[in-house]
Amino acid sequence: MRIDSLNISPVESSWATASPEPLFKDARITVYGIPILPSSKSQSPELSTDFSEAGQKRKREISPDLPEKRQALGGASSSSSEQFNPPALLQGEAADDWRRQIIQLMFPGTNVKPERPLLDRDDFSPRSRRKDRKSHADISTSPITPTNVPASPECTSFEASENVETYRRYRPRLPPGFHTQLPKFVRPTVLSPTLAYVVVGPRVRGKFNAKAANELGVPSGPIRAQLTRGNSVTIQVMVDGEMVERVVRPEDCIGESESPGVLIIFDIPTVEHIPALIAAFENPFYAKFRSHRPEDCKDHAVRSVFHLLGKDVLEDSRSGSALTFNNSLTLIISIQLRMNQLDSELFPIPHYSLSPKRDLNSIPNIPQNSTILSAGLEVNMRNSDPPTVRELNDSFHKTVTSDRPIALSPKTSRLFAKAKMNVEAHISSGKLRVPLGSNVKVIPLGTGSALPTKYRNVSSTLVQIPNWGNILLDAGEGTWGQLARQFGTDDGTENNVWDLLRNLKCIYLDPPASTPLFLLSIRSVHLYIREVSEIQDLGLDDPSGNGVIPVITESIHWKNTGVYQTNGHWQVGGSEPWTDINLSLENAATLREALGLESINTVDVRHRTRCYGVVIRHKDGWSIVFSGDTEPTNSLVYAGQDATLLVHEATMADDQEQLAAKKAHSTFGQALDIGRRMRAEHILLTHFSARYPRMPPSSLQRPRSGDFRPIVALAFDHANFKIKDMWKTGYYLEALEQSFIETLAEEGDEEDEEAEASALAGMVAVD
């Protein structure tokens, strides 16, 4: 993966340092990093580390002998006959160096102009911010020339393409080994280390005393400006009828400056991390942040400490010492509501909680001035005043804290009543047909394309099969949060998110449990998961057999099951042991048995990168087809014939067909045409462009030719679609559209929303 347009400056923190160097520093803040390693009893045998004194460097075993000449990133070596050494075999410093160079190649970055100092006349109004967003969008479309690519002949030749966006125009030739697995990461401890942050703000100068300046005879203008910059000035003043020189120092007419405010963030996941946290603040440099001495308080004023605490940390007797700082410290521990009134089963209210799980007073050793983090909490970084809670300007908090249900306008109420009446009339008519798989539930967790908006998360769809288990189709960022809101995290309630995960049998990705979790995706995704598992236990290769089990998508292709292509666009791209086709076929057979499936097959679809759709057929006779990201594709039509439900992307409106073709996506009409040709009984449209941040275009016209009439529904985040109830959404669309309009008017952000939509539309170059 290579992201040309993302500018980053990766900073690698050392495990410990005796003279701390900031991780980041600019004119406003200085950031220090404090490594918090678990106690020594949990250390890995590969490394031995002494943390009796914070600040000592990590001790490690001697690295194995390495070749005299370091492997070049581009694969170039001292002799052309030398064979390329796979990165996975590198160890020690050579492995670390390879990782750094890969990061450098993935994020080439750009030269960024230094920011100018903020001035009093700067405009921070909403209008100004919208203007800045537009300017940023214009700048982001200019060509970017990588500057930090390693100086190897293989990596300095940039080739331009005429048919791609400007921001993707310059691409280096990727070196051998770029797409192979990174070297094995040696964990310093069995438990993961964490990093604490100390953020130090600027020293704010005192107020200028104009009265004192006048008494001293300091004229207005540049001379006073010199004093505000901390410089002494010499002026001519009249004293007893004579002109004399007077030296005026800044402290003569400027009040005492404010000590820099300090914000500290701790991540303490286990009680084993507490000793290292305590030891870190015994270091003289960090000890001053806990000091009560006046001279230290003048240098720094700790205003807030945020603690991310794991289980049993607060209850541990040592935590009282670890969490206590000086006396000025403060410890910082709606549309769905409307839709719920239309149909409470189809549009349930997400789970939420406005009260803490525990009362702080019930926890021993808790420091004074502790506050539980809550929505709208504001902490003043300029003084030690307690936090305040500002009024939240959103409809959600106002409604859920009120005794009255959310009020609907007369027009919306009429449309809601009309929709409900039409649904009841259709049920009473006796024309209602119960399809196969009627109780299979489809829950869109995210219905946006490349970027989340205020009303939509990015693409993710959950399929719940009664008595069998769950399948997750796509898992865009934020999916866990959506699951937690959908099902709730209280393990004492029925059908909570933990029950959902226990019954999650399969995750299908388009680019620990009591039963196995099957992961279906292309090799590069599996490769990424395996690299992440080097630093975080994801349950891969679990000896119990109940961990994450890989299935390579190419192995279950609908036409070429059991055969890998060896070249071209659709080749697997690697030969690691976990890509073995027989292993994937065995795992796929176990998956079918676990979910009661007759078959599960992938379908090659057309996108700007390698993507697959999937066809799921159950033994009970129903089937679901998921398109993934694609333009209209015939192979999906052939593979998914007579589907019970087609979940198809509809990124663009019908008037954006040319743009959809450029981005290899589908319009509403094209998605409907695929469903008609497939003879799908139901079509659920999702994956809407950020151009439609609220309600997607709902002009769902029936196909003009042919007699086939599928049931069509638009996906909404957190909607609960049982297949047998999807027909209802046709009656609800007008009411839902009015509800979105009314919500937007109440929140008063029409102009901001339009500006956001325009900015997002400009940013979504690869959605």
Side-chain angles (χ1 to χ4, degrees):
M1 181 178 182
R2 177 182 165 83
I3 304 179
D4 300 343
S5 59
L6 183 60
N7 308 323
I8 68 167
S9 299
V11 177
E12 191 172 352
S13 174
S14 63
W15 292 115
T17 175
S19 301
E21 293 292 331
L23 297 179
F24 173 83
K25 185 174 183 178
D26 63 11
R28 298 174 180 85
I29 63 171
T30 303
V31 181
Y32 299 93
I34 306 175
I36 308 298
L37 284 91
S39 55
S40 58
K41 65 181 181 181
S42 61
Q43 288 177 26
S44 170
E46 287 89 346
L47 296 173
S48 59
T49 313
D50 180 10
F51 297 103
S52 58
E53 179 182 348
Q56 286 189 336
K57 291 187 176 181
R58 176 175 58 127
K59 299 176 182 178
R60 66 167 76 191
E61 291 184 353
I62 299 175
S63 300
D65 292 336
L66 298 173
E68 201 169 32
K69 293 188 177 181
R70 181 173 293 177
Q71 178 73 52
L73 179 64
S77 61
S78 58
S79 171
S80 59
S81 62
E82 283 188 80
Q83 189 174 3
F84 175 71
N85 189 27
L89 300 182
L90 298 176
Q91 299 180 25
E93 290 299 328
D96 291 341
D97 185 61
W98 176 267
R99 293 189 192 94
R100 294 188 193 99
Q101 294 190 64
I102 287 294
I103 292 173
Q104 191 176 39
L105 184 62
M106 289 174 64
F107 304 100
T110 60
N111 291 322
V112 181
K113 293 173 62 177
E115 296 184 25
R116 65 171 177 81
L118 295 179
L119 305 176
D120 293 337
R121 63 176 179 269
D122 286 338
D123 185 5
F124 292 99
S125 65
R127 179 180 178 183
S128 174
R129 290 196 296 270
R130 289 193 295 272
K131 182 179 178 181
D132 289 344
R133 285 200 297 265
K134 184 178 185 302
S135 300
H136 182 270
D138 294 340
I139 293 171
S140 67
T141 59
S142 61
I144 293 176
T145 304
T147 59
N148 297 326
V149 179
S152 118
E154 301 287 342
C155 300
T156 54
S157 174
F158 295 90
E159 303 171 359
S161 171
E162 297 179 356
N163 299 317
V164 295
E165 290 80 5
T166 54
Y167 80 97
R168 294 174 63 87
R169 182 162 293 163
Y170 300 101
R171 281 186 168 277
R173 186 178 304 151
L174 297 177
F178 182 83
H179 293 293
T180 62
Q181 189 163 348
L182 291 173
K184 184 175 179 60
F185 178 75
V186 179
R187 298 168 63 89
T189 60
V190 175
L191 294 173
S192 297
T194 63
L195 198 63
Y197 297 94
V198 176
V199 184
V200 181
R203 180 174 293 277
V204 180
R205 69 170 175 83
K207 291 184 179 180
F208 188 86
N209 190 332
K211 182 179 178 181
N214 291 334
E215 292 175 351
L216 291 170
V218 180
S220 299
I223 293 180
R224 292 193 179 189
Q226 287 292 327
L227 289 170
T228 63
R229 297 190 185 103
N231 301 323
S232 297
V233 297
T234 302
I235 59 175
Q236 297 286 331
V237 296
M238 181 72 68
V239 178
D240 298 331
E242 296 183 9
M243 294 295 295
V244 297
E245 285 190 348
R246 174 178 291 168
V247 176
V248 181
R249 298 170 300 174
E251 55 266 30
D252 293 334
C253 51
I254 296 179
E256 186 176 358
S257 63
E258 294 181 17
S259 301
V262 177
L263 168 71
I264 301 177
I265 303 173
F266 289 146
D267 183 2
I268 317 174
T270 70
V271 295
E272 283 81 8
H273 290 76
I274 295 177
L277 176 63
I278 295 174
F281 282 87
E282 293 172 357
N283 178 288
F285 179 82
Y286 294 113
K288 59 188 178 184
F289 295 112
R290 301 184 66 183
S291 172
H292 295 266
R293 296 186 304 174
E295 57 270 28
D296 289 330
C297 294
K298 283 187 176 182
D299 289 339
H300 302 94
V302 178
R303 302 300 186 195
S304 299
V305 178
F306 291 79
H307 280 81
L308 311 177
L309 305 179
K311 185 179 179 181
D312 300 328
V313 172
L314 268 179
E315 290 77 4
D316 191 281
S317 59
R318 298 167 295 178
S319 64
S321 172
L323 305 184
T324 303
F325 279 67
N326 61 54
N327 292 332
S328 66
L329 167 71
T330 301
L331 175 65
I332 306 298
I333 312 259
S334 303
I335 188 68
Q336 199 81 6
L337 297 167
R338 294 176 178 274
M339 296 164 69
N340 178 259
Q341 294 190 46
L342 179 62
D343 190 319
S344 59
E345 184 176 356
L346 189 60
F347 304 113
I349 297 176
H351 291 259
Y352 65 90
S353 175
L354 301 182
S355 57
K357 293 182 178 180
R358 299 185 59 184
D359 183 0
L360 282 182
N361 295 327
S362 67
I363 302 173
N365 306 315
I366 196 82
Q368 294 181 352
N369 303 328
S370 297
T371 303
I372 289 182
L373 192 65
S374 61
L377 195 72
E378 291 186 344
V379 180
N380 193 322
M381 294 300 294
R382 299 275 300 273
N383 58 50
S384 57
D385 291 344
T388 57
V389 179
R390 62 178 173 83
E391 183 180 356
L392 296 172
N393 185 27
D394 64 81
S395 58
F396 174 77
H397 286 84
K398 293 178 182 178
T399 302
V400 299
T401 55
S402 172
D403 296 332
R404 296 177 297 175
I406 190 169
L408 303 177
S409 70
K411 181 177 181 180
T412 302
S413 296
R414 287 195 302 271
L415 289 174
F416 274 31
K418 177 183 176 182
K420 291 179 180 179
M421 182 179 66
N422 289 337
V423 167
E424 291 298 327
H426 185 75
I427 294 174
S428 302
S429 68
K431 299 179 181 179
L432 193 62
R433 190 182 70 85
V434 180
L436 293 173
S438 59
N439 288 317
V440 173
K441 187 180 290 186
V442 179
I443 302 176
L445 299 168
T447 56
S449 54
L451 295 170
T453 67
K454 184 183 294 186
Y455 301 101
R456 298 184 182 278
N457 194 46
V458 291
S459 182
S460 182
T461 305
L462 179 69
V463 178
Q464 292 188 293
I465 308 172
N467 304 319
W468 287 102
N470 308 314
I471 301 175
L472 189 59
L473 302 173
D474 261 0
E477 59 271 27
T479 293
W480 162 249
Q482 295 289 81
L483 285 171
R485 284 183 281 272
Q486 179 74 30
F487 298 97
T489 58
D490 185 355
D491 54 11
T493 61
E494 188 177 0
N495 297 323
N496 58 70
V497 71
W498 311 114
D499 292 334
L500 180 282
L501 293 181
R502 293 184 189 100
N503 289 313
L504 184 62
K505 304 293 179 65
C506 174
I507 298 178
Y508 179 81
L509 296 179
D510 179 31
S514 57
T515 56
L517 174 61
F518 296 87
L519 177 63
L520 278 66
S521 192
I522 59 177
R523 170 186 168 272
S524 59
V525 173
H526 286 283
L527 187 62
Y528 164 76
I529 294 295
R530 289 185 172 272
E531 290 177 349
V532 172
S533 70
E534 294 284 345
I535 57 175
Q536 181 179 358
D537 184 10
L538 300 179
L540 291 175
D541 304 320
D542 193 299
S544 69
N546 292 329
V548 177
I549 297 180
V551 178
I552 306 298
T553 49
E554 290 84 353
S555 69
I556 53 174
H557 188 271
W558 72 289
K559 289 182 68 175
N560 301 311
T561 300
V563 178
Y564 283 156
Q565 289 199 31
T566 57
N567 53 57
H569 179 72
W570 301 101
Q571 64 178 312
V572 173
S575 58
E576 295 86 354
W578 44 268
T579 64
D580 179 72
I581 195 166
N582 292 319
L583 176 63
S584 280
L585 291 174
E586 292 173 7
N587 292 341
T590 307
L591 167 62
R592 292 195 300 270
E593 183 179 352
L595 284 169
L597 303 181
E598 178 183 304
S599 64
I600 179 168
N601 294 107
T602 56
V603 184
D604 49 301
V605 295
R606 298 174 62 183
H607 194 50
R608 295 197 298 180
T609 186
R610 186 151 47 106
C611 288
Y612 290 89
V614 64
V615 179
I616 301 168
R617 299 189 184 277
H618 200 271
K619 293 179 180 178
D620 292 342
W622 56 267
S623 61
I624 293 178
V625 178
F626 176 67
S627 71
D629 286 17
T630 182
E631 59 185 87
T633 305
N634 287 331
S635 57
L636 197 68
V637 174
Y638 303 143
Q641 279 294 303
D642 300 315
T644 307
L645 169 65
L646 167 64
V647 182
H648 202 287
E649 70 126 278
T651 306
M652 305 289 184
D654 290 343
D655 61 353
Q656 297 285 336
E657 187 170 332
Q658 186 175 0
L659 182 60
K662 179 181 178 181
K663 296 179 177 295
H665 282 298
S666 301
T667 66
F668 274 62
Q670 290 170 338
L672 293 176
D673 184 61
I674 291 292
R676 178 188 62 81
R677 293 168 55 203
M678 186 185 293
R679 298 189 61 82
E681 295 181 46
H682 305 78
I683 302 174
L684 180 62
L685 301 180
T686 186
H687 195 271
F688 307 119
S689 170
R691 292 165 181 80
Y692 322 112
R694 302 179 299 275
M695 187 77 178
S698 57
S699 55
L700 300 180
Q701 302 294 331
R702 298 290 188 182
R704 295 180 180 179
S705 60
D707 297 325
F708 188 71
R709 295 291 187 270
I711 293 171
V712 181
L714 294 178
F716 297 90
D717 286 27
H718 295 296
N720 284 11
F721 291 108
K722 284 186 178 178
I723 290 180
K724 66 179 181 182
D725 294 331
M726 292 185 69
W727 59 272
K728 295 180 181 179
T729 59
Y731 293 105
Y732 291 159
L733 279 179
E734 186 181 5
L736 292 173
E737 204 162 34
Q738 174 59 29
S739 180
F740 269 93
I741 294 173
E742 185 173 313
T743 301
L744 188 62
E746 283 186 359
E747 295 185 358
D749 58 355
E750 295 97 331
E751 189 177 354
D752 281 343
E753 283 291 331
E754 293 301 325
E756 177 189 4
S758 299
L760 289 172
M763 292 170 62
V764 183
V766 291
D767 63 345

